[in-house]
Amino acid sequence: MSMFASSAASFQPVISEVVNAVDRQVYAGPQILPFQPVNIRKGKYVKIESAQYDNDASKPRAAGSNFAQVSGEYTAATFDCLEYGVENSLDDINTAEAETDALLDIVSVAANQLADDLMVGHEIRVASALSGSGFNSTAATAAMSVVASATPIADIGAAVLRLNADGITKNIQLIMEASLYQEMTQTDDMRNLINGSGSFFWSQDQVARVVGVDGIIICNSRYNSAMKGQTASRSAIWPTSSFYVASIADGPLTNGGIGRTLCYTDRGGDFVSETYRTEQPPANVIRVRNSCDEVIINANAGEIISGA
């Protein structure tokens, strides 16, 4: 039976499963604001407005008295999972010789390429969400390019201590654009330690331990801003003169972290794959879509280091 039997778009569970199973760790967005499924497109979520927790508030209760009470600053914020989608038309001329299995492979490859296009848009929106997050911002001692003066170890360590002072201690990550990370490892501050250890380089885990974070997310993604038919023009999505130190968490919002990508999963996965038939021109059309909203749930859980 053809998977393109109708002019109406039909859900393709096999292709959707293939697309959702692909590891897209090349993109930093899902690592920073992990996908969290929701069963409604629009709704409310709890947003933490202050760092008033981890208090020594429990006291012995005497007979006839009330328990100790605390107050927190929480607000209800709204989310709206907007629908994003991309289509690719496979002309009959290109698929006329394909057998059934080969056609499935072609559709799977095309669908994964469309999913990657969606991920580029998600990456840009996550970068924008962090830029406008309201995190505390502190200037770096010096730019990484000033190799003799930059002190990334102290700058990052101080950011971790500021987070700790606000009660943020879990899974603190260094989030940095790839070229800036390379500059950081070439500063005298880092090279003196690396060379002193007898190594030519350190792994990310080793660097993480030295700067005092639980892990490092290197943002290496680019996007092509050229229109179709024009020469590709790729630009970095993430800032190259600032970086973030932030608590990252996935799962329910009660797990903490700076935020999530709330994803309306009406078909059971982050991505939905559909197909339909068109005759102008004669082609089989593949569509991949998702519905999501990138939200910051706790601005106290992140720090920006600017001027790096």
Side-chain angles (χ1 to χ4, degrees), residues 5-283:
S6 172
S7 59
S10 58
F11 174 55
Q12 294 295 334
V14 174
I15 304 303
S16 290
E17 183 177 356
V18 169
V19 171
N20 283 300
V22 172
D23 182 1
R24 304 185 191 280
Q25 288 301 306
V26 66
Y27 299 103
Q31 301 176 61
I32 298 167
L33 298 183
F35 285 101
Q36 176 62 25
V38 292
N39 57 11
I40 53 175
R41 289 184 182 273
K42 295 183 180 181
K44 294 183 178 181
Y45 65 95
V46 174
K47 188 173 183 180
I48 301 173
E49 296 291 353
S50 71
Q52 298 304 312
Y53 36 83
D54 293 340
N55 299 317
D56 179 21
S58 61
K59 303 298 179 185
R61 188 182 75 86
S65 64
N66 295 324
F67 286 103
Q69 294 185 345
V70 297
S71 61
E73 294 183 28
Y74 309 101
T75 59
T78 60
F79 69 88
D80 185 358
C81 294
L82 301 179
E83 186 171 53
Y84 302 91
V86 191
E87 295 183 344
N88 188 4
S89 181
L90 300 177
D91 194 283
D92 285 357
I93 294 176
N94 296 326
T95 58
E97 300 300 323
E99 300 293 339
T100 302
D101 289 344
L103 180 57
L104 178 61
D105 290 341
I106 292 169
V107 173
S108 299
V109 169
N112 273 307
Q113 289 175 336
L114 296 178
D116 284 344
D117 288 343
L118 287 176
M119 290 305 300
V120 169
H122 177 258
E123 191 90 345
I124 293 171
R125 295 193 301 275
V126 171
S128 178
L130 264 64
S131 176
S133 61
F135 295 160
N136 178 62
S137 181
T138 304
T141 302
M144 302 291 188
S145 57
V146 187
V147 295
S149 301
T151 58
I153 298 173
D155 290 343
I156 296 168
V160 172
L161 291 177
R162 287 192 295 271
L163 291 175
N164 292 165
D166 280 341
I168 306 299
T169 59
K170 296 180 180 178
N171 197 27
I172 296 178
Q173 301 280 319
L174 171 63
I175 303 169
M176 186 177 287
E177 193 273 336
S179 65
L180 188 59
Y181 178 80
Q182 292 302 321
E183 279 193 340
M184 180 184 75
T185 61
Q186 297 305 314
T187 61
D188 289 354
D189 196 34
M190 293 294 298
R191 290 308 316 176
N192 289 339
L193 287 178
I194 295 172
N195 295 341
S197 70
S199 301
F200 291 108
F201 65 92
W202 277 353
S203 67
Q204 286 179 221
D205 287 343
Q206 290 172 303
V207 173
R209 287 196 293 271
V210 166
V211 299
V213 296
D214 297 306
I216 299 174
I217 299 174
I218 295 180
C219 307
N220 195 31
S221 49
R222 302 286 190 272
Y223 77 101
N224 182 12
S225 60
M227 300 298 291
K228 184 177 180 180
Q230 296 180 343
T231 302
S233 177
R234 290 183 170 82
S235 303
I237 292 175
W238 294 89
T240 56
S241 60
S242 62
F243 59 91
Y244 305 92
V245 180
S247 174
I248 304 297
D250 58 8
L253 303 190
T254 52
N255 288 352
I258 55 172
R260 302 289 190 281
T261 298
L262 301 180
C263 188
Y264 175 60
T265 54
D266 58 338
R267 296 287 192 175
D270 298 332
F271 297 101
V272 175
S273 298
E274 298 166 332
T275 60
Y276 66 91
R277 177 71 187 172
T278 181
E279 296 300 333
Q280 295 181 349

